[in-house]
Amino acid sequence: MRIAFIGLGVMGRPMAGHLLAAGHELALHRVKEASRFLVEAGGRAADSAAAAAAGAEAVILMLPDTPDVETVLFGEHGVASALQPGALVIDMSSISPIATKGFAERIEAGGGTYVDAPVSGGEVGARNAALTIMAGGSEAGFARARPLFEQMGKTITHVGGVGDGQTAKVANQIIVGLNIAAVAEALTFARAAGADPAKVREALMGGFASSRVLELHGERMIRETFDPGFRIRLHRKDMGLAMDGARALDIALPNTASTAQLMTSAIERGDGDKDHSALIRTLQAPAGS
């Protein structure tokens, strides 16, 4: 397929690479030094979203936040201005479910098909083409997008209509965020009580407390290796989406709120660009620091 891929960050770069390796033609927007290898592998650099989207059968977005998606789609020289009739727009960013529905209406009014398909799995999942992909959209749109998803992920679920993929991703981020906070608190407790956190983690891995977060992020916390697989700043953005949704739905998410505040504190400490496992640094920081 002729594909426009817009958003070549930590996740987007390997995702685009898998599509190139599968033989697709890619027009790439937002090419920087770190993504220059994709051009060398056969991708075409485009100087605007519109230039990338012109003639594309599918446009894939992998962007940081809701305003970024809106600008790329509908801003000056945006995707919508160059989208050919029948083209598929796949937003794999993690953004507002409510805004997603509005974006889809505008794209489909212009003759396109919209699928929201946020992902989970972090940089490792992106590099290994093992992402979990949660898709929202029509049956027909999902069927068209699925062959592309299969080049980037392993667990692919059509959750429901437009926006439902983003809703699933917000739910995912709630669970992951609360689990990271729980593991950070448990290891902080273990250390303060004089036990070896590594041995405590080893013991817990054999019981009901075992989880992927304890396995992967627990080890990062013990080793203090916080190079970002997924930045605290971005996870805090996702928790903000959860809180915005809770207010709109008039429901309480008290543990989500407290974890979001912990992430905000981490950002204020200067840890926003560290991996979200670095939340433990905020818990273990001296009072007032």
Side-chain angles (χ1 to χ4, degrees):
M1 291 180 69
R2 296 186 305 277
I3 301 169
F5 200 108
I6 302 172
L8 300 169
V10 170
M11 301 280 287
R13 290 193 296 270
M15 292 164 68
H18 295 312
L19 293 171
L20 277 171
H24 298 289
E25 299 177 27
L26 262 64
L28 306 164
H29 181 44
R30 296 190 168 184
V31 174
K32 298 179 181 178
E33 189 58 36
S35 49
R36 180 62 55 182
F37 73 95
L38 293 167
V39 176
E40 295 169 356
R44 173 177 63 85
D47 60 8
S48 70
E57 299 167 84
V59 178
I60 298 176
L61 310 182
M62 190 62 184
L63 299 164
D65 205 347
T66 306
D68 300 287
V69 173
E70 183 170 21
T71 297
V72 164
L73 288 177
F74 306 112
E76 186 177 8
H77 306 302
V79 166
S81 67
L83 198 66
Q84 67 179 18
L88 182 63
V89 175
I90 306 170
D91 181 23
M92 304 189 78
S93 320
S94 295
I95 68 167
S96 164
I98 296 170
T100 290
K101 293 178 182 180
F103 297 163
E105 288 176 1
R106 294 170 70 179
I107 289 295
E108 293 178 355
T113 298
Y114 198 98
V115 174
D116 58 296
V119 303
S120 179
E123 182 185 4
V124 172
R127 284 194 280 106
N128 294 332
L131 293 168
T132 294
I133 300 174
M134 300 156 258
S138 67
E139 292 282 356
F142 176 74
R144 289 175 59 194
R146 182 164 191 132
L148 302 179
F149 295 155
E150 289 172 347
Q151 302 299 325
M152 298 179 281
K154 285 189 176 178
T155 304
I156 302 163
T157 304
H158 185 199
V159 181
V162 167
D164 287 350
Q166 296 294 352
T167 296
K169 179 57 186 291
V170 171
N172 179 87
Q173 296 302 81
I174 291 171
I175 293 170
V176 172
L178 269 60
N179 268 271
I180 289 174
V183 170
E185 287 193 5
L187 296 181
T188 297
F189 172 77
R191 185 184 300 276
D196 181 347
K199 289 295 185 181
V200 170
R201 172 182 165 277
E202 181 181 340
L204 297 179
M205 284 298 298
F208 202 54
S210 179
S211 69
R212 288 288 285 170
V213 168
L214 180 62
E215 177 187 357
L216 299 178
H217 292 309
E219 183 174 14
R220 286 185 169 195
M221 291 173 189
I222 291 164
R223 294 179 179 272
E224 298 184 349
T225 53
F226 300 126
D227 291 340
F230 190 67
R231 289 175 170 81
I232 290 174
R233 188 180 310 282
L234 289 176
H235 203 151
R236 174 60 181 83
K237 177 265 297 183
D238 292 342
M239 300 299 266
L241 294 176
M243 297 308 299
D244 290 344
R247 283 189 288 272
L249 296 167
D250 195 25
I251 60 173
L253 299 176
N255 294 315
T256 300
S258 64
T259 301
Q261 183 55 55
L262 181 63
M263 291 177 177
T264 298
S265 297
I267 292 168
E268 290 172 350
R269 292 188 69 250
D271 285 347
D273 289 322
K274 290 183 169 60
D275 186 77
H276 47 182
S277 57
L279 278 182
I280 195 169
R281 286 166 47 89
T282 300
L283 288 171
Q284 294 181 347
S289 68

